[in-house]
Every structure is written in structure tokens, then in C-alpha cells.
Amino acid sequence: MQNPNLEYLQFTDEIRICRILNGMWQVSGAHGKIDPIKAVDEMFTYVENGFITWDLADHYGPAEDFVGDFRRKFIAKFGKESLSKIKFFTKWVPRAELMTRRLVERSIDRSLRRMDVDSLDLLQFHWWDYNDDNYLRALEYLASLSEEGKIKNLALTNFDTEHLEIIIKHGIKIVSNQVQFSLIDLRPMVKMVDFCQKNNIWLLPYGTLCGGFISEKYIGQNEPGYFQLETVSLKKYLRMIDAWGGWQLFQELLTTLNKIAKKYNVSLSNIATRYILDIPVVAGVIIGTRLGLSENIKDNIKTFSFALDQQDKIEIQQVLAKANNVYLAIGDCGDEYRKA
């Protein structure tokens, strides 16, 4: 099931992951209509090619249900033992309200049922409002459920460094934090990477390809209008490009990446992904899968066929040096979800 052309990493004592995780935000309904049968069938294709790690969430439409369907079909075809290497990382994204043991457990039980599992490999917790310290109570209950075996590993998504530190000092063990991290959003480099290195916490970046903008498709193109964009990802990351430095500078970045890509006979998205993968504490990057609509398996495999040399990184950094300070403009990791 593992592909010798891919990279794998020992994420925890019991979990080994592929360093490109299959992101399932794209099945939530905001990236095109998904056929459930085709989607589950394509999950088999990703796994057969060695992409054995999936990232999803309770609010990604039918994502958890797709996992349950996939698991049942996979067990019927190959047996339960063969499923042990395939890992599914979900999220719990509750509304801000009083956190009770009953509410937390019912939410986790719902994910267990939908995914048809006895225990969640990784539960990534998100919280919208830091002014409401119920997030600490929620995490205490989640830690208790972890001790009981319903959650194997507890993690976060879109937490900033300050509140990650508060959680660690509160005595709650966190395995990873999922954050936006790309060549146009290097905010994790300011504080997060250093803190995670010191506290043995992995980062799981998303947005590394800016929703598809970091692609040969956009070289030499005029900036698209907001309402011309087909997916919510593209709309989101066009705003990020504008905050980072604008379309003209983005064109310079694409041209630079394309030059390096030709040197290694890979795609420029491979270059952008490899750059982030080479940063310490990055366990793997999450690349979206529009299951049944399009797939990027062959291109993703090429990410592991080369290594960036120092000159490559210097050329990329020369472009990045011209950009705005996104950290000053937006704040630390996840602050875009908490500021108007």
C-alpha cells in the first residue's frame, strides 16, 4: 500500500502518515457537486497509489460519511487488517456555547458513527472566539475521551501561538496544529514553528497551493474577477494574494517557481509544496481532492522526486522579500477567522 516514490513520516508512536494528506474540504459542496459513488471509488485510487492519510471534518458536508462507506467497502474487499495503515484525521468545529461533557461526547460519538470507527485516529479541535474560554473546558473533556479510548490523539486547527501555549501550560497534550502555510502565507515562521519545535508539536499546513492559484495555468494571466472564480478556495486565496503583495508580484513568484520546476522536470506546484515540506516541524501538507471531479495523483507523486538546492531557495526568497508582511496585516495563524 505504501509507494516507494512517496515520503512517509512517523507522526506518532502508532501513526505513520504520507507527507501529502488528501484534503476533503473539497467535498463539502463549495467546490462543485460531488457524486458519492465516484468519490468513494476514487478514494480507493488514492490509497492504491500510496496516499494513505486523509484530512476531513465534521462540517465538510458528507466527508465523514464517505470515510464510513470507504471503510466498509475496503474491509469487504481486503479485510480489516489491511485498513490499519490508512489514517483519517477529522475535526470538531463547535459553535460557541457552554461546553458540557454530554455535548462534547455526543459530538465525538457522531463522528465515530459516521466514520464507522471505534476510535478517532486524530481529532483536531477548532474554536472561534478566544474571549470565550470554554475552549479549555472542551479540551479537558476531549482529553478525558482520549484517555477512555474514543480519541487516539488530540490536535488543534487554526490556533495561534499564544493560545497554543496556554493549552500546553494547561496540561493538555497536543500532537499537531493545522494552519494555513504557503509561499504567500509564511506567518507560521514568525512564532509558531519555533514554539512547535520546542514543544514537539507537528504542523499540518493547508492552502499550500492557494486553492489552485499556484499553477502553470495562471502564468501570464490577468487577475481574475472575484465572481469569475469557480470555487470558494480560489475566492479565499485571491484575497490572500492581494494581502500578500498583489497579482503582479504573484506573477513574478509563478515565473520563478516555473523556472525552477523546469530544472527538475516537475510542476511549479511541486516546487511550492516541497518548499513548505522542507520546513522543520511540518509533518505533511494537505492538498485538496475534488473526488470524482479531478485528481492530481501523478503530479503529487513528483513532489518527492527532487530536492531543492540552496540556489533554488535563494531565488524564491528574493521574490518573497518584496511582499507585504502578512503577519502584521492579518495576525498570527488562524487570526483571519477571528477578525473582521
Side-chain angles (χ1 to χ4, degrees), residues 159-211:
F159 268 77
D160 65 12
T161 312
E162 177 187 350
H163 290 86
L164 175 56
E165 184 173 7
I166 290 171
I167 291 165
I168 297 302
K169 287 182 176 178
H170 202 72
I172 297 169
K173 178 175 173 52
I174 296 299
V175 172
S176 63
N177 188 22
Q178 184 176 141
V179 294
Q180 188 169 288
F181 202 174
S182 71
L183 288 172
I184 68 160
D185 188 0
L186 292 171
R187 288 177 295 158
M189 297 296 293
V190 180
K191 293 181 178 179
M192 183 67 69
V193 166
D194 182 62
F195 181 82
C196 289
Q197 279 185 297
K198 292 175 180 176
N199 290 276
N200 298 313
I201 298 169
W202 292 111
L203 290 181
L204 292 174
Y206 66 89
T208 307
L209 300 180
C210 298

Side-chain angles (χ1 to χ4, degrees), residues 88-107:
F88 304 97
F89 296 172
T90 194
K91 304 179 189 74
W92 181 40
V93 185
R95 284 181 266 178
E97 56 184 307
L98 179 65
M99 290 289 113
T100 65
R101 163 78 189 213
R102 184 166 181 261
L103 184 153
V104 174
E105 187 164 20
R106 285 175 63 185
S107 299

